[in-house]
């Protein structure tokens, strides 16, 4: 099994620091639950859940940090946060149309760790690791081991951006880009900052939600130092994910001049009701985050049980429009390989 953690271990520039010298968020990351039985035990799920959890874990390893675990109701197998992280036997089912690389990203990688699909912006895989492994992730089969560049390989990506003056935005993605150390990120952002035609730095991350302590002074230091306009696109699927610690982290980001947006995935059994989606938008706004996209599921192998049919998705959004002001409405979109932008449904 190739996993994100094993890919990370192969990185030549990985900082192997003893736990005592790590930032608090790194300690949480290192201590995340990676054993499916332990996850079940901690959440008081009985032994009938073990075989399915182990089967799913064999395909895509379990990873849940304590800060996220604390927001899951013990003993409730239908908890919307648990459903996002608990491996299931269904993940082994082959479903027609569900594939390893649903967005065909391998076709658009001009350099290791660089994806150039859309006009004006490029996406850099800044870290192969995630703080949490989401069962529906469209990159659950992504070959991170081939896309975890060393600094020398970063130079190739940076040269691609330098040469193409039509690129105005660099998007840090992953994995989760904020799983990289602040030293690595500061190095990379400093070089992006020096490319005159770049205007914006966008960061796609789930870490401030999963481990809010990630938004610490060291991160705010390099983020505040760049001249680039800063946009952070968080990934939150349910209102219960936003606790007071997440709100405090978001406030620090806003104070540092970061525009906060959110993208969610419409997931069966997690947020597929008007009530859940409305509560999410309301809670996002309380945290200073604007709803941006509501994605329909990308057809990635192992995630078919999360699918919500297009007709149901449209009905949900119509219902949502009746209860929310326009500025709290996310755009319902699908990503279609080869299209120049997301496709509204
Ligand atoms: S944090 Fe994002 S990239 Fe990582 S597993 Fe979850 S959805 Fe995928």
């Amino acid at each position: 099994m190739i996993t994100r953690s094993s890919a990370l271990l192969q990185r030549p520039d990985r900082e192997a620091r003893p736990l005592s010298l790590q930032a608090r968020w790194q300690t949480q990351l290192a201590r995340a639950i990676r054993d499916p039985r332990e996850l079940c035990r901690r959440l008081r799920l009985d032994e009938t859940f073990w075989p399915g959890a182990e089967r799913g874990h064999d395909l895509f390893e379990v990873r849940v940090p304590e800060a996220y675990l604390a927001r899951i109701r013990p003993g409730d197998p239908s908890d919307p946060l648990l459903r996002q992280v608990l491996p299931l036997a269904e993940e082994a089912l082959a479903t027609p149309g569900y594939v390893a690389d649903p967005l065909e990203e391998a076709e658009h990688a001009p350099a290791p760790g660089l994806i150039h699909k859309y006009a004006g912006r490029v996406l850099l895989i800044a870290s192969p690791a995630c703080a949490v492994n989401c069962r529906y992730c469209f990159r659950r089969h992504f070959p991170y081991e081939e896309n975890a560049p060393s600094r020398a390989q970063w130079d190739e990506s940076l040269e691609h951006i330098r040469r193409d003056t039509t690129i105005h935005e660099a998007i840090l993605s992953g994995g989760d880009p904020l799983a990289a150390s602040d030293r690595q990120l500061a190095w990379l952002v400093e070089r992006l900052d020096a490319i005159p035609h770049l205007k914006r730095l966008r960061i796609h991350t789930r870490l401030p939600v999963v481990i809010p302590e990630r938004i610490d002074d060291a991160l705010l230091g390099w983020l505040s130092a760049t001249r680039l306009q800063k946009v952070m696109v968080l990934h939150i699927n349910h209102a219960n994910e936003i606790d007071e610690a997440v709100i405090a982290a978001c406030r620090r980001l806003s104070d540092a001049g970061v525009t906060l947006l959110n993208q969610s995935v419409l997931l069966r059994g997690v947020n597929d009701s008007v009530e859940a989606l409305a509560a999410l938008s309301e809670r996002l706004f309380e945290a200073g985050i604007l709803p941006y996209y509501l994605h329909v599921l990308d057809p990635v192998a192992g995630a078919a049980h999360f699918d919500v049919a297009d007709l149901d998705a449209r009905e949900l959004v119509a219902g949502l429009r009746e209860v929310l002001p326009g500025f709290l409405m996310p755009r319902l979109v699908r990503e279609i390989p080869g299209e120049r932008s997301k496709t509204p449904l």
Side-chain angles (χ1 to χ4, degrees):
M1 173 176 60
I2 291 289
T3 64
R4 288 182 179 158
S5 53
S6 59
L8 184 66
L9 291 171
Q10 291 159 12
R11 291 189 69 173
D13 56 353
R14 182 173 185 261
E15 293 166 37
R17 306 179 76 195
L19 280 184
S20 58
L21 294 180
Q22 288 180 343
R24 288 160 63 105
W25 68 269
Q26 287 175 312
T27 308
Q28 277 214 45
L29 201 54
R31 292 184 177 156
I33 293 177
R34 293 184 190 177
D35 177 342
R37 285 192 188 198
E38 188 190 348
L39 179 65
C40 292
R41 271 195 296 263
R42 291 285 306 278
L43 291 170
R44 287 198 250 123
L45 299 177
D46 64 42
E47 293 181 14
T48 59
F49 286 90
W50 292 5
E54 282 172 342
R55 182 73 189 101
H57 169 77
D58 285 344
L59 300 167
F60 181 39
E61 69 174 0
V62 79
R63 180 180 299 211
V64 187
E66 291 289 339
Y68 195 81
L69 189 85
R71 284 168 254 167
I72 300 176
R73 289 185 297 265
D76 179 2
S78 61
D79 180 277
L81 276 58
L82 175 70
R83 285 187 54 82
Q84 296 179 57
V85 297
L86 177 69
L88 297 176
E90 282 99 311
E91 295 175 31
L93 297 175
T95 307
Y98 283 74
V99 295
D101 179 13
L103 304 186
E104 297 173 8
E105 290 189 313
E107 313 274 312
H108 303 276
L114 183 77
I115 296 171
H116 193 174
K117 268 201 302 197
Y118 298 147
R121 50 216 191 265
V122 288
L123 188 145
L124 295 145
I125 303 287
S127 164
C130 284
V132 65
N133 280 350
C134 311
R135 309 316 299 174
Y136 52 84
C137 180
F138 73 90
R139 293 206 182 110
R140 55 182 282 160
H141 307 284
F142 191 81
Y144 283 97
E145 68 284 7
E146 295 163 20
N147 285 276
S150 63
R151 285 194 179 177
Q153 289 168 314
W154 275 125
D155 284 337
E156 204 184 321
S157 299
L158 289 164
E159 190 51 33
H160 176 90
I161 301 171
R162 261 182 227 113
R163 274 199 311 265
D164 186 342
T165 55
T166 68
I167 299 172
H168 298 306
E169 182 170 320
I171 303 171
L172 302 189
S173 185
D176 194 312
L178 296 189
S181 71
D182 289 306
R183 191 167 65 87
Q184 289 170 328
L185 290 167
W187 181 91
L188 181 59
V189 170
E190 203 177 301
R191 273 143 193 85
L192 292 170
D193 194 280
I195 299 175
H197 51 270
L198 273 186
K199 296 178 183 169
R200 286 183 300 279
L201 174 71
R202 197 194 320 176
I203 301 174
H204 284 189
T205 176
R206 195 149 158 67
L207 243 156
V209 183
V210 178
I211 305 177
E213 283 181 310
R214 177 65 185 97
I215 308 307
D216 59 9
D217 291 345
L219 177 139
L220 292 168
W222 58 261
L223 206 50
S224 302
T226 178
R227 68 166 178 90
L228 299 167
Q229 285 188 297
K230 299 168 282 275
V231 180
M232 191 171 280
V233 182
L234 298 161
H235 173 178
I236 308 174
N237 298 315
H238 195 277
N240 292 3
E241 288 177 278
I242 306 173
D243 63 6
E244 291 309 311
V246 173
I247 291 178
C250 290
R251 198 166 296 131
R252 296 194 82 189
L253 288 165
S254 297
D255 290 348
V258 181
T259 299
L260 296 173
L261 303 173
N262 183 62
Q263 54 184 349
S264 312
V265 184
L266 183 58
L267 298 166
R268 177 139 55 97
V270 173
N271 56 11
D272 58 336
S273 70
V274 172
E275 295 72 32
L277 291 171
L280 172 60
S281 278
E282 295 280 359
R283 190 70 174 147
L284 286 169
F285 196 63
E286 282 167 25
I289 310 164
L290 279 175
Y292 174 36
Y293 281 138
L294 176 62
H295 289 263
V296 294
L297 185 76
D298 295 312
V300 63
H305 54 290
F306 284 112
D307 188 49
V308 176
D310 282 4
L311 189 63
D312 296 338
R314 288 193 187 96
E315 275 182 14
L316 281 171
V317 169
L320 202 55
R321 207 167 280 124
E322 288 178 14
V323 297
L324 285 180
F327 66 92
L328 290 187
M329 282 294 298
R331 275 172 275 170
L332 181 67
V333 291
R334 160 171 289 127
E335 190 151 352
I336 299 175
E339 294 291 320
R340 305 295 289 171
S341 64
K342 315 253 187 225
T343 305
L345 245 73

